[in-house]
Amino acid sequence: MPTSHRSDYDELGELLLDIGVMLMVSGANTERIKITVERIANAFACVPDLLITNHALMLTLTYPDSNKVFTSVKWMPGMHLNFNLISDISTMSWQIVLEKWSVARIAEELKVLNRKPLYPRYLVLLLVALAGASFCRLFGGNLTEMLAVFVASFCGLYVRQEAIKLKFNFYVSIFFAAATAALVAGSYFYLHPDEVYSHAFSTSVLFLIPGVPMIHAISDLMDGHTLNGIVRGVNVMIMAFAIALGLTVALVAYKF
């Protein structure tokens, strides 16, 4: 194979790994990653063999004559949900097929997608806190409980973000966030024992519920990706244990 062709396919392979990692980190399930990578590789007359795990992707590209042209592994960073990015990459993959994009154009488009701004941090904190207060109301909480959950969710998510920035273990970060939220939510009711606190206390940690990993665990098992489904399911159970442990700290501290 000419050297220029090999370098092109090396670049394509690296781009496909980058796309797979971006999808995984953004919250895509295993089947979507597999389909998207295969769609783009097939547009370049390559057959991809992709191994997807919870911590890494391994990709081999093969020519129609069965000569392997690229094999590499890419490690996965921590998850940061971004469903807009998943949608953008899916749209891009169809444009690659229909418009016959070059490798260089794909690289430029990925740079553009990576530069798209996320929501401001404090806007996320405020909206998550508002969602927590809304859940409290749905569970029957009054205005006082809603205010307690609003403050607790804001503080808990802030602590989790800071813990992750300080390189704490992912599960320890969830424990810190759950303990903080429960302690903040319970502080007012500890000083006012006549108030009803059950709704505020139980909903103060709902922002930590791992909904996306839970859904992906089930979808991966249904799609036949048994190993990934089991790994995601175990992660969900560990996260649930960390949340429960944080709540237990507050229960013991306030003797509820």
Side-chain angles (χ1 to χ4, degrees):
M1 184 191 306
T3 303
S4 60
H5 286 182
R6 178 169 291 277
S7 63
D8 286 344
Y9 278 95
D10 286 347
E11 186 178 357
L12 174 62
E14 292 294 343
L15 286 174
L16 289 173
L17 281 175
D18 288 340
I19 289 169
V21 168
M22 289 168 68
L23 287 170
M24 176 71 87
V25 169
S26 298
N29 64 11
T30 303
E31 189 66 16
R32 177 181 280 270
I33 298 168
K34 180 173 177 289
I35 290 172
T36 303
V37 170
E38 284 182 349
R39 182 184 300 141
I40 298 172
N42 291 339
F44 288 86
C46 281
V47 179
D49 292 306
L50 182 64
L51 175 63
I52 303 172
T53 71
N54 203 46
H55 294 292
L57 296 181
M58 184 173 73
L59 175 68
T60 295
L61 294 180
T62 309
Y63 260 135
D65 60 5
S66 298
N67 290 325
K68 294 180 181 178
V69 297
F70 175 86
T71 297
S72 185
V73 177
K74 195 172 188 72
W75 294 103
M76 205 83 62
M79 181 175 286
H80 189 86
L81 297 181
N82 188 347
F83 295 127
N84 287 333
L85 182 58
I86 295 174
S87 178
D88 289 340
I89 290 176
S90 181
T91 301
M92 180 189 73
S93 69
W94 283 111
Q95 290 176 317
I96 292 169
V97 173
L98 296 174
E99 300 174 11
K100 308 298 182 183
W101 284 15
S102 65
V103 173
R105 185 173 178 186
I106 297 173
E108 287 300 317
E109 183 66 18
L110 283 180
K111 290 179 182 178
V112 172
L113 294 180
N114 264 328
R115 286 198 296 265
K116 280 192 174 182
L118 298 174
Y119 295 111
R121 179 185 183 185
Y122 283 95
L123 177 61
V124 173
L125 287 167
L126 287 171
L127 292 177
V128 169
L130 183 61
S134 301
F135 275 120
C136 180
R137 179 58 180 166
L138 288 173
F139 278 77
N142 56 33
L143 185 60
T144 302
E145 290 178 296
M146 289 174 63
L147 182 60
V149 172
F150 181 90
V151 177
S153 298
F154 187 99
C155 294
L157 182 58
Y158 181 86
V159 166
R160 181 187 177 187
Q161 292 175 346
E162 289 299 311
I164 290 174
K165 284 169 61 177
L166 293 172
K167 308 298 183 182
F168 278 92
N169 177 274
F170 177 72
Y171 305 113
V172 173
S173 300
I174 293 176
F175 164 71
F176 287 160
T180 300
L183 287 168
V184 170
S187 60
Y188 173 83
F189 302 99
Y190 179 73
L191 299 174
H192 300 82
D194 294 334
E195 296 270 1
V196 177
Y197 68 88
S198 57
H199 300 111
F201 194 77
S202 59
T203 57
S204 62
V205 295
L206 285 183
F207 70 95
L208 292 168
I209 298 299
V212 172
M214 196 181 302
I215 293 170
H216 287 347
I218 296 171
S219 66
D220 282 353
L221 290 171
M222 293 179 65
D223 290 332
H225 304 290
T226 308
L227 181 59
N228 284 351
I230 291 173
V231 170
R232 291 182 193 266
V234 171
N235 280 334
V236 167
M237 288 189 288
I238 298 174
M239 285 185 269
F241 177 76
I243 295 169
L245 197 60
L247 281 170
T248 303
V249 169
L251 285 170
V252 172
Y254 292 133
K255 299 180 181 178
F256 284 159

